[in-house]
Amino acid sequence: MRILVLGGYGLIGSAVLVRLIEAGHAVVSLGRDTRGARRRFPEATWIERDIATLREPAAWHPLIAGCDAVVNCAGALQDGPRDDVRAVQDTAMRALFRACAEARLRRVVQVSAVGAMPDARTAFMRTKAAADAALGQLDLDWIILRPGLVLAPTAYGGTAFLRALASTPLVLAVVGGAGPIQTVHVDDVAEAVRLGLEGRVAARAAYDLVEDEAHGLGDVAAAFRAWLGHEPAPVVAVPRLLVRPVVAICDGLGRLGWRSPLRSTALVQVTEGVTGDPEPWRRAGGPRATGLRASLRRLPSTVQESWFGRLWLLKPVIVGGLALFWIVSGLVGLLRFDAAAAVLTERGVGAASAQAAVAGGIVLDLVLGARCWCGA
């Protein structure tokens, strides 16, 4: 089949893309920034579009033309300068699903999330639920997959944070009162997508993709710590009252462009738990999801993962410090423009050349600072 995969370079999307290519399908993938993905996965055809702008079925028709199926692996955790949760996960998806119905493109797989409910506390879950409901009303061979906490070789968002949490010295500090967590290996999710697309499980149904056993957050962090090869450490529950100020700061930084996994949406999900029912998936003929420790055994645990875990929490300090240094340097040059130019003229540089050099330095500092921050 020729399959359109939305978000084919993300945590789940990249695994789905590889699995479908290995199964012999032709994959077209769509996303906002495909430059790196084109180099990593040259076997796929890439379309660069901002999903948030595709709000009408007419915008989707040229993109799904010639395709036999669609898989949605795209999403946004929380609103920010570059992310509009409702536009990406609800409005654009409703338009896509209607376009599929109009084009008689029947096979659609929606990767949602366990806990997606209309009355959920987060916009992430409410918009996922809205898209799920819209898809369920259409006369298509749709399948909705709801993974638990996805474990993958890629360190991104929550999986990156778990590596860092497991690498902290002396203690494992976890949020107090966190709910139970059921995990799933990313390859299990990719295989479930393939089975759904190839008609090997019953369509017009929603399935939770989770392991059988539920774990406390402390147990998950301890399993990650053992996987990384670090010495065991006592688990310390941090009261949510102390966590909220940190989350508020991360929310503020998110509005400035830094998408920390420690934002309020993540706190709510951890507090409420990440659990589902694996039985309907197995009754439909799907394979049993890999458990936490078995999943970790399938992931690489080398010096790279160890270094990443140790240093990841320093990333905002390092990047923020560099960005602040360049921005302050540029602003000081701007405020003391004449004095900065005088330093050069005293050394024999012409007045016009000195002013041009100072102006160029100011622009360079401000651009470097902004780019450093945005790249975080």
Side-chain angles (χ1 to χ4, degrees):
M1 292 185 288
R2 181 176 174 85
I3 302 167
L4 175 66
V5 178
L6 308 187
Y9 48 72
L11 181 82
I12 294 175
S14 57
V16 168
L17 182 142
V18 169
R19 180 59 57 91
L20 295 179
I21 290 173
E22 290 176 345
H25 300 294
V27 177
V28 181
S29 189
L30 182 149
R32 181 169 53 193
D33 185 359
T34 63
R35 289 172 295 179
R38 291 174 190 272
R39 293 188 287 269
R40 290 168 55 208
F41 306 112
E43 303 91 344
T45 300
W46 291 93
I47 302 172
E48 193 157 303
R49 292 285 193 285
D50 185 350
I51 292 173
T53 65
L54 305 174
R55 303 185 179 210
E56 298 295 334
W60 285 102
H61 278 294
L63 303 174
I64 64 175
C67 292
D68 304 298
V70 171
V71 183
N72 175 35
C73 299
L77 180 68
Q78 197 164 317
D79 286 336
R82 299 181 67 223
D83 297 315
D84 184 333
V85 174
R86 181 165 297 281
V88 171
Q89 298 194 164
D90 184 4
T91 307
M93 292 306 102
R94 289 173 185 264
L96 168 62
F97 300 151
R98 290 201 304 272
C100 290
E102 291 169 2
R104 301 186 183 278
L105 192 161
R106 296 198 57 81
R107 295 193 179 191
V108 178
V109 175
Q110 156 84 340
V111 179
S112 184
V114 292
M117 300 289 289
D119 59 350
R121 289 174 57 193
T122 65
F124 175 83
M125 288 298 185
R126 290 194 300 271
T127 52
K128 281 289 188 185
D132 295 350
L135 179 58
Q137 293 170 3
L138 296 174
D139 183 23
L140 298 171
D141 295 330
W142 53 264
I143 288 180
I144 297 169
L145 301 175
R146 294 174 175 150
L149 177 64
V150 179
L151 305 182
T154 305
Y156 178 80
T159 57
F161 178 67
L162 278 171
R163 285 165 164 81
L165 179 64
S167 302
T168 54
L170 303 180
V171 298
L172 281 174
V174 300
V175 180
I181 294 172
Q182 287 169 288
T183 67
V184 60
H185 195 285
V186 71
D187 287 346
D188 294 344
V189 181
E191 178 65 4
V193 170
R194 184 188 70 82
L195 294 174
L197 289 170
E198 295 178 354
R200 299 177 186 274
V201 292
R204 303 183 64 82
Y207 301 108
D208 293 342
L209 300 179
V210 293
E211 61 177 317
D212 293 341
E213 185 182 356
H215 314 273
L217 180 58
D219 294 330
V220 175
F224 264 81
R225 190 176 183 90
W227 168 69
L228 289 168
H230 302 320
E231 291 289 332
V235 176
V236 176
V238 180
R240 270 176 275 172
L241 212 60
L242 299 179
V243 176
R244 287 195 182 106
V246 177
V247 170
I249 292 171
C250 290
D251 277 349
L253 293 174
R255 295 185 187 98
L256 297 174
W258 185 58
R259 294 179 289 181
S260 166
L262 282 175
R263 288 174 288 172
S264 52
T265 296
L267 178 63
V268 170
Q269 295 311 131
V270 166
T271 302
E272 294 187 343
V274 183
T275 58
D277 181 5
E279 283 303 319
W281 173 245
R282 286 206 290 269
R283 286 198 298 269
R288 185 184 298 270
T290 309
L292 169 63
R293 287 166 181 81
S295 289
L296 290 175
R297 285 196 297 270
R298 290 168 58 182
L299 300 179
S301 178
T302 66
V303 66
Q304 297 173 101
E305 283 69 35
S306 180
W307 272 76
F308 179 91
R310 296 287 195 197
L311 296 175
W312 187 80
L313 290 176
L314 293 176
K315 177 184 175 182
V317 178
I318 295 169
V319 174
L322 286 171
L324 185 64
F325 169 79
W326 276 314
I327 290 171
V328 169
S329 176
L331 293 176
V332 168
L334 189 62
L335 294 173
R336 302 293 305 277
F337 187 90
D338 291 338
V343 171
L344 295 178
T345 55
E346 289 171 0
R347 287 164 171 74
V349 179
S353 298
Q355 290 176 350
V358 172
I362 291 170
V363 171
L364 182 60
D365 281 344
L366 294 176
V367 169
L368 284 172
R371 288 293 299 166
C372 187
W373 177 261
C374 294

